[in-house]
Amino acid sequence: VVGHGVSAELQERHAAFHRRFFQLSDEVKQRLALSEKSPVRGYFGRGGEDLDQVMDLKDGEAPKQKARTDHKEALDSNGAPWSRPKGGFVAEVFGQPSRFPEEEDLPGFGETMDEYSGAM
């Protein structure tokens, strides 16, 4: 993508912080794990995302999760923190704020993510 006006320096700093995030210890990353309270904003490790998002229901049987496993880890953040979606529970969940590591764990991460989101 070109012509967006985001400086090369900010793009590089943003990417470098993401690389540094994934080098943090599992303990630090797990503090940001997806949860009932925050089901889409936060961290998930390898195998932590259901790729199928499809459940089988046959003749009253319990739902069975599909077998495909995801092999990535991710930090899902809200790229548009100013957005206030409407539409009930799903909109509310996706409108939740980003969750970042504590400043002492990765100084400058949150500030850079917010700056990048604002520039985009």
Side-chain angles (χ1 to χ4, degrees), residues 42-80:
Y43 171 78
F44 61 88
R46 291 177 181 89
E49 184 174 49
D50 179 3
L51 293 178
D52 297 298
Q53 300 290 318
V54 175
M55 306 298 266
D56 292 327
L57 280 175
K58 294 181 184 175
D59 301 322
E61 290 180 25
K64 296 178 184 173
Q65 197 168 10
K66 297 290 184 177
R68 287 195 292 185
T69 301
D70 190 13
H71 295 286
K72 71 173 180 290
E73 58 179 336
L75 177 65
D76 192 319
S77 59
N78 184 345

Side-chain angles (χ1 to χ4, degrees), residues 15-27:
F17 265 115
H18 278 282
R19 286 189 294 275
R20 289 175 56 199
F21 172 81
F22 290 107
Q23 293 171 352
L24 292 171
S25 70
D26 286 340
E27 177 187 341

Side-chain angles (χ1 to χ4, degrees), residues 17 26 29 31 40 43 48 52 57 67 77 82 89 95 97 114 117 119:
F17 265 115
D26 286 340
K29 291 184 286 190
R31 290 185 212 144
V40 298
Y43 171 78
D52 297 298
L57 280 175
S77 59
W82 45 263
F89 176 75
D114 289 343
S117 291

Side-chain angles (χ1 to χ4, degrees), residues 6-20:
V6 180
S7 72
E9 183 277 329
L10 179 54
Q11 292 178 63
E12 291 165 10
R13 187 165 27 106
H14 181 260
F17 265 115
H18 278 282
R19 286 189 294 275
R20 289 175 56 199

